Amino acid sequence: MDKIAVKGGKKLKGSVSISGAKNSALPVMTASILSAGESRISNLPALRDISTMGRLLENLGIGFSFKKGKASLNAEKIIKAEAPYDLVKTMRASVLVLGPLLARTGKAKVSLPGGCAIGARPINLHVKGLEKMGAKISLSDGYINAKARRLKGAVIYFDIPTVTGTENLMMAASLAEGETLLENAACEPEVVDLADALISMGASIEGAGTSIIKIKGVRSLSPLDYKIIPDRIETGTFIAAAGITGGDIEIKSCNPDHMVSVIVKLRETGMEISHEKNILRVKGPEKLRAVDVRTMPYPGFPTDMQAQFMALMAVADGTSMITENIFENRFMHVAEMRRMGAKIKIENATATVEGVEKLKGAPVMATDLRASASLLVAALAAEGETIIDRVYHIDRGYEKIEEKLMRLGADVRRVT
Ligand code: EPU
């Protein structure tokens, strides 16, 4: 099993390019199910989750090929409307095939994802929404079995704004009969990206990016030819990496408009961040300042940046309070950071982080994607060597992370 070894203390310098957004790429790939033709997607990141989604789509009968950021997906025929447990258990985003399969074929059998390292993560709101559109859904042997003649437009209110729930229902509603209103919908840029992709296929969608989305169903959709937006969490992770090392870097091919909450909070820590078009310039201070943060749905501070922010606060001047409002168990990185000398206490959903002068390298274990990114960020500033185990988590969501960091001057290597 691969590990990443980091010798801390190098100030990052130079320039890095951001890859396509994983959490846009996954739903856009499943949108290809909606059209009986050959779809093309570009700026796809070469990640483990993308190949898992490719295998899942192949399993449905879709021809999938992927090279140099470009994928072709031929959904002429759907042979088997089923997402098996083996694939779903390794990637919860597999549930994104539920809405499109039901809309295209009138049936879907999708393994119910279990709990995961960051929380229980139910999908009751996806199911409730599809039922409201007329689907008959039952659960047997750990699988959701869904059936519908043709889905019907409906007014669907989400108790909690859910990103993949909004995406699943937006895709289902695109081929439904009549109009669907999604209320209290998620506003994340990835939802907007999927809406733009669907619109390019001929769907009628208004309001994506706001909490009310109106979709008028159409009979059929054309294949996709679409470019994925830059990954805002990868961008934020590189800003954090520059900040913690007191570095000075340029981040290219990103979208600063998607980064407002992250930029504002990171500037409060003393970092200098400026931007022009799709380039961010970031300079870390001599010493970071402690700042409180609360995770919120977009445009609030993203839960996917909480762990990396905590790494910064672990070495900041003062004490900060970090509150996680989205997932109930997203503090798995804390125990590992403590092994590096961080002083962090957790009470309910809040971590109190008392900044220390220096973190110390240690063997640590990655527990989920963003937790592993935070350990990497912490390791860049730690004294001595940190060995991060189970880096398959990081490979799910960061393209060539160690190569990109090495080019910025970090002492990082993969140990296979
Ligand atoms: N929720 C429910 N019922 C549902 C759906 C969600 O109670 O039916 C709850 C969740 O348990 C959670 C909250 O609603 O407390 C929000 O979860 P959401 O559904 O928005 O999360 P998700 O769609 O499963 C996506 C990203 C996550 C990211 C979250 C929050 C993808 C593929 N995944 O997950 O990304 O953390 O939104 O922004 O888009 C990651 O990339 O590391 C990652 C975990």
Side-chain angles (χ1 to χ4, degrees):
M1 215 181 282
D2 285 10
K3 296 180 184 174
I4 290 182
V6 185
K7 281 195 190 123
K10 292 269 184 359
K11 291 187 183 214
L12 299 193
K13 286 214 156 41
S15 145
V16 63
S17 285
I18 296 304
S19 303
K22 167 182 82 84
N23 290 348
S24 268
L26 295 171
V28 172
M29 285 172 79
T30 65
S32 68
I33 296 172
L34 294 167
S35 167
E38 186 169 351
S39 287
R40 291 177 193 284
I41 308 173
S42 61
N43 204 29
L44 269 193
L47 301 171
R48 218 165 58 108
D49 273 11
I50 299 298
S51 31
T52 306
M53 182 58 87
R55 270 193 290 144
L56 182 57
L57 295 176
E58 278 176 335
N59 206 56
L60 304 175
I62 296 178
F64 173 69
S65 70
F66 176 38
K67 221 176 177 184
K68 291 191 179 157
K70 292 197 164 87
S72 124
L73 305 104
N74 192 337
E76 210 76 57
K77 278 208 183 85
I78 303 294
I79 295 165
K80 196 165 147 206
E82 182 177 333
Y85 178 62
D86 274 0
L87 291 169
V88 178
K89 75 173 182 205
T90 62
M91 187 184 67
R92 300 180 57 84
S94 307
V95 77
L96 281 164
V97 299
L98 179 60
L101 274 181
L102 195 54
R104 163 104 186 255
T105 69
K107 57 180 193 250
K109 183 176 175 191
V110 175
S111 168
L112 196 63
C116 88
I118 63 177
R121 303 183 74 184
I123 56 159
N124 57 314
L125 301 175
H126 304 226
V127 169
K128 205 170 144 193
L130 291 169
E131 282 177 336
K132 202 102 203 270
M133 296 178 78
K136 295 270 169 285
I137 300 185
S138 62
L139 183 72
S140 67
D141 306 325
Y143 278 80
I144 298 170
N145 291 292
K147 277 201 180 120
R149 262 227 188 98
R150 186 175 176 207
L151 292 168
K152 292 208 166 44
V155 177
I156 294 161
Y157 169 77
F158 292 108
D159 294 334
I160 306 171
T162 152
V163 175
T164 48
T166 302
E167 292 167 344
N168 237 335
L169 289 164
M170 203 161 64
M171 289 190 276
S174 291
L175 282 184
E177 188 186 320
E179 188 173 290
T180 298
L181 269 186
L182 302 179
E183 306 215 358
N184 200 24
C187 304
E188 270 68 4
E190 294 77 18
V191 172
V192 179
D193 205 30
L194 174 65
D196 288 342
L198 292 167
I199 291 167
S200 78
M201 297 170 83
S204 164
I205 302 176
E206 282 170 26
T210 74
S211 56
I212 300 181
I213 305 180
K214 187 158 92 177
I215 305 129
K216 281 195 198 123
V218 295
R219 267 278 166 202
S220 67
L221 292 167
S222 321
L224 272 164
D225 190 354
Y226 196 74
K227 183 176 177 196
I228 301 296
I229 56 168
D231 197 304
R232 64 193 166 101
I233 306 301
E234 187 195 14
T235 309
T237 304
F238 277 103
I239 303 180
I244 205 165
T245 61
D248 187 351
I249 68 167
E250 186 179 71
I251 304 178
K252 295 197 288 198
S253 311
C254 61
N255 188 338
D257 292 345
H258 296 161
M259 307 293 306
V260 175
S261 61
V262 172
I263 291 176
V264 166
K265 292 313 285 184
L266 290 172
R267 275 191 187 137
E268 284 178 30
T269 70
M271 295 177 63
E272 287 173 37
I273 306 175
S274 61
H275 54 88
E276 201 182 301
K277 291 187 184 147
N278 62 351
I279 298 178
L280 275 165
R281 287 195 182 78
V282 182
K283 202 163 174 233
E286 275 305 309
K287 184 80 189 166
L288 291 156
R289 278 195 297 271
V291 172
D292 296 344
V293 81
R294 306 170 72 86
T295 63
M296 301 288 261
Y298 191 83
F301 190 88
T303 172
D304 290 345
M305 276 300 297
Q306 178 257 107
Q308 301 88 314
F309 192 83
M310 194 178 294
L312 298 180
M313 293 302 98
V315 290
D317 190 16
T319 299
S320 69
M321 310 256 274
I322 300 180
T323 306
E324 171 56 53
N325 290 314
I326 308 296
F327 293 111
E328 66 276 21
N329 190 24
R330 212 172 196 182
F331 284 139
M332 300 282 277
H333 42 285
V334 169
E336 302 303 307
M337 283 186 194
R338 282 193 194 126
R339 307 194 68 252
M340 300 174 73
K343 286 196 180 158
I344 308 171
K345 280 192 204 131
I346 299 176
E347 208 179 324
N348 303 320
T350 301
T352 305
V353 187
E354 192 187 320
V356 297
E357 196 47 43
K358 271 236 172 283
L359 292 173
K360 300 245 162 35
V364 290
M365 186 97 85
T367 49
D368 72 78
L369 171 55
R370 308 303 170 186
S372 41
S374 75
L375 296 175
L376 193 47
V377 170
L380 290 172
E383 215 165 63
E385 189 171 55
T386 300
I387 310 271
I388 307 173
D389 201 351
R390 299 202 181 161
V391 295
Y392 56 84
H393 287 293
I394 213 163
D395 294 334
R396 290 187 48 195
Y398 291 87
E399 189 176 45
K400 299 187 183 145
I401 182 90
E402 73 275 16
E403 278 178 38
K404 289 188 183 186
L405 284 170
M406 264 180 331
R407 264 186 255 128
L408 292 171
D411 188 340
V412 180
R413 75 198 150 87
R414 184 174 287 255
V415 188
T416 45

